Amino acid sequence: VVADGREVLSNIVASQVETHQEYGGVVPELASRKHIEAINYIVSRSLAEAGVTFKDLEAIAVTNRPGLIGALLVGVAAAKSLAYCHNLPLLGINHIEGHIYAPFLALDALPFPHICLTVSGGHTLLVEVHEGWQYKVLGSTQDDAAGEVYDKVAKYLGLGFPGGKVIDDLAQKGNPSAVKFPRPMRNTDDYQFSFSGIKTSVRYFVEKARRAGLLVENGQQAIEDIAASFQAAVVDVLVYKSLRAVKATGAAAITLTGGVAANSHLRASLKLAAAEIGAEVYYPPMNLCTDNGAMIAGIAYQKYQQGLRDGLSLNATPKGSIF
């Protein structure tokens, strides 16, 4: 529940990490079932914590794109039912727009235009954000998202799921120059990303080291060096392309959003590199980096003020542009 697009009255998140851990990744059918189990409880708890009832609400917003279709369908069905029962306007919101908006929830002001680097388990893209929350997509990943690659590499190393935090923690103890992993598309004349090559390179390196008996397991130095070297490659590409976008567009700032925005090395590296060209970097607090309802409600307020209304024919779609 968010007031005036800025004041977060409640932001309840139901984590499914434990459900998917044993499978090494998200199982779509299980995700959908868990959504069904949790959604009514989350809605009730959100209203209670905010100290409001449905009579106090102006509108209901729901993520309807992009994402896992089963999970989206659960949310859209619930939102439609609530909007119908309580005679409230319904707004379908793009998940990526929510991430782009997230830093604004924790700031007094945000300069426009700015460059937004959105990095998560499902998305990696650079967006030029203009006043009025208008967007120009500069580039996106051509294959795997950065967060997805973190999970895959963690799996290769036997570190479990999800992989982002555990690799970040291990990388701080390792040598980022120990292994020279590739940096695909780093120097291309565009803002596109590709991370499948880094993922494959790590996999081959790990398999070869295991066959040779050279890989030290259980968090010892070899694992830490691989984690640090892998993370250095991913972060290098993300930072380099973000700064190129700032220089080319003349934007005054960069925002870093999405689940991977919680990565300590990415935060520090982007801030340091941006300072060298006089650009500011903003990122949301940790609880607004990962998927959450507050960012969806926040951008929904802006869209509501602009006149957006979706009827009960609103559909969930697994893919969707932010245009």
Side-chain angles (χ1 to χ4, degrees):
V1 181
V2 175
D4 300 326
R6 299 299 302 277
E7 185 182 0
V8 179
L9 302 181
S10 65
N11 187 30
I12 310 300
V13 176
S15 173
Q16 295 189 15
V17 169
E18 291 186 7
T19 301
H20 302 286
Q21 273 180 335
E22 64 178 297
Y23 303 102
V26 174
V27 181
E29 178 61 24
L30 290 180
S32 302
R33 292 179 186 179
K34 287 296 179 182
H35 273 59
I36 293 172
E37 292 173 10
I39 195 160
N40 286 333
Y41 167 74
I42 294 301
V43 170
S44 296
R45 186 176 165 190
S46 296
L47 293 173
E49 185 170 300
V52 300
T53 68
F54 283 107
K55 293 180 180 180
D56 300 309
L57 303 183
E58 289 185 67
I60 290 178
V62 60
T63 300
N64 74 317
R65 68 196 190 280
L68 296 175
I69 187 61
L72 291 174
L73 282 169
V74 173
V76 170
K80 283 182 176 181
S81 300
L82 293 172
Y84 177 77
C85 290
H86 298 282
N87 194 29
L88 289 168
L90 177 66
L91 287 78
I93 299 297
N94 187 298
H95 178 76
I96 302 300
E97 286 194 77
H99 279 304
I100 292 172
Y101 190 82
F104 193 60
L105 289 168
L107 297 171
D108 293 330
L110 193 59
F112 293 98
H114 62 262
I115 299 299
C116 180
L117 172 64
T118 297
V119 198
S120 69
H123 312 280
T124 302
L125 68 164
L126 275 171
V127 180
E128 187 177 348
V129 185
H130 293 267
E131 197 159 359
W133 304 100
Q134 301 297 312
Y135 316 104
K136 178 182 179 181
V137 178
L138 302 178
S140 61
T141 180
Q142 304 302 287
D143 38 61
D144 298 352
E148 178 185 358
V149 174
Y150 266 84
D151 289 337
K152 295 288 179 58
V153 168
K155 186 175 182 180
Y156 301 154
L157 294 172
L159 300 174
F161 172 86
K165 187 176 189 308
V166 66
I167 287 181
D168 190 20
D169 290 344
L170 282 174
Q172 294 180 44
K173 305 171 186 176
N175 177 7
S177 302
V179 186
K180 188 64 176 177
F181 289 123
R183 281 131 167 94
M185 298 189 76
R186 181 187 187 274
N187 298 313
T188 55
D189 293 328
D190 54 36
Y191 302 103
Q192 308 291 55
F193 298 97
S194 172
F195 296 105
S196 64
I198 300 175
K199 175 190 69 178
T200 303
S201 182
V202 174
R203 179 178 180 179
Y204 288 158
F205 182 89
V206 170
E207 289 176 350
K208 184 177 179 181
R210 282 205 174 102
R211 287 195 300 269
L214 300 176
L215 190 68
V216 182
E217 305 275 8
N218 301 320
Q220 298 301 312
Q221 193 61 43
I223 296 289
E224 293 166 357
D225 286 348
I226 293 170
S229 299
F230 157 72
Q231 179 160 276
V234 172
V235 169
D236 180 29
V237 174
L238 292 171
V239 171
Y240 185 78
K241 292 234 168 182
S242 298
L243 263 64
R244 278 192 62 233
V246 170
K247 293 175 183 177
T249 61
I254 303 172
T255 58
L256 174 62
T257 67
V260 185
N263 183 276
S264 64
H265 184 50
L266 178 56
R267 285 186 174 225
S269 297
L270 188 60
K271 202 167 188 70
L272 181 63
E276 293 178 356
I277 62 170
E280 293 290 335
V281 175
Y282 303 97
Y283 31 70
M286 293 296 184
N287 68 320
L288 294 178
C289 288
T290 53
D291 295 348
N292 65 88
M295 66 184 192
I296 302 301
I299 187 61
Y301 171 83
Q302 304 295 339
K303 298 294 182 179
Y304 181 82
Q305 296 301 313
Q306 293 171 7
L308 174 66
R309 304 290 188 276
D310 289 301
L312 295 178
S313 61
L314 178 70
N315 290 319
T317 55
K319 296 182 179 180
S321 168
I322 63 171
F323 288 109

